Structure formats: structure tokens, C-alpha cells
Amino acid sequence: CIFLTMSPTTTGCTITPKYTIHVVNKLPSPQLNLHCASKDNDLGYRTTSENYDFTWKFCESFWSNTLFFCSLAWKNNHVSFDVFKSKKSDECFDGTCYYEIWEDGIYFAGGNAPRILQKKYDWQQ
């Protein structure tokens, strides 16, 4: 796991809520290519193998305008989507947004385990 903390303190957020995002590769070979970022924070390009959990933590903006997005590519498929948007932060109850990347699409669950995943996005070709 990779944890990126984008807050002024290591103990947590003092004024705004803290969120954790998981993007978990459940695809077989070949590897998944992903790039996640916000307006202010580029988390970089990654090539991930099966079961890799790309995870980061951040404090929501004081102005409630935080947006993180990811772009994924696998074989001839690609998709870009918002993984966190302040206006929909209630979907990430318990402060957790959890995504699993499968051959038939991208699944989402808010909150900690046990998770009930629902398909949220289809691959584009």
C-alpha cells in the first residue's frame, strides 16, 4: 500500500474531514496503467499488477471544492472518472472511497468493510 498524506499534520485534519481513497486492481495480466490527480496534487502515473491497492489520504478543502480523478488504461480499454468530489462526499461514508477495477468495469463502495460493491463505470474502447 502507498499512503500519501496531504494534510498539514500527520495526526489528521483539524478543521475539515479526512478521506481515504482506495483504487484496487483486480485485473489479470497485462498490468493496469493509472494516473490519479487533483487540481493541486498529481499522484503520478503507475503501472500496477493484480491486487495492487493504490491508496492515499487527504483533508477535504475548507471551501468544500476538493476533486480527485483517475484515468485508467488496460488492454484496449480506458476510462476517466472522479474518485472524490466534495459535493458527493456523503457517498464515502466513514471517510472511505473504495474502488475495484475489474474486466467488466469499475466498482465502488463507500465506507469500511464489509463492502457491498456496485458497478459505477464501464470501460470505453
Side-chain angles (χ1 to χ4, degrees):
C1 284
I2 295 175
F3 290 96
L4 300 172
T5 304
M6 294 172 212
S7 65
T9 65
T10 57
T11 58
C13 306
T14 55
I15 297 173
T16 61
K18 182 177 186 178
Y19 289 93
T20 303
I21 310 294
H22 295 267
V23 179
V24 182
N25 180 9
K26 294 293 187 176
L27 296 166
S29 292
Q31 296 177 323
L32 170 71
N33 295 307
L34 68 94
H35 176 234
C36 297
S38 72
K39 177 183 171 189
D40 301 319
N41 300 89
D42 188 334
L43 305 180
Y45 291 85
R46 309 220 182 260
T47 301
T48 68
S49 57
E50 189 174 5
N51 293 317
Y52 182 87
D53 183 349
F54 181 53
T55 303
W56 70 95
K57 297 180 181 186
F58 61 93
C59 298
E60 187 173 12
S61 162
F62 178 76
W63 297 276
S64 296
N65 63 354
T66 303
L67 171 66
F68 276 95
F69 59 89
C70 290
S71 296
L72 312 176
W74 181 69
K75 292 186 176 181
N76 293 326
N77 303 304
H78 61 90
V79 65
S80 294
F81 59 96
D82 296 340
V83 293
F84 180 87
K85 186 184 264 186
S86 288
K87 293 178 181 169
K88 293 187 174 187
S89 63
D90 58 331
E91 293 179 353
C92 302
F93 55 89
D94 295 334
T96 302
C97 295
Y98 183 85
Y99 294 87
E100 285 190 0
I101 315 307
W102 290 90
E103 290 183 64
D104 68 332
I106 289 61
Y107 289 76
F108 172 80
N112 293 307
R115 295 183 177 99
I116 299 172
L117 293 166
Q118 295 182 339
K119 189 173 184 183
K120 194 151 183 170
Y121 304 102
D122 288 314
W123 289 105
Q124 300 169 4
Q125 295 191 3

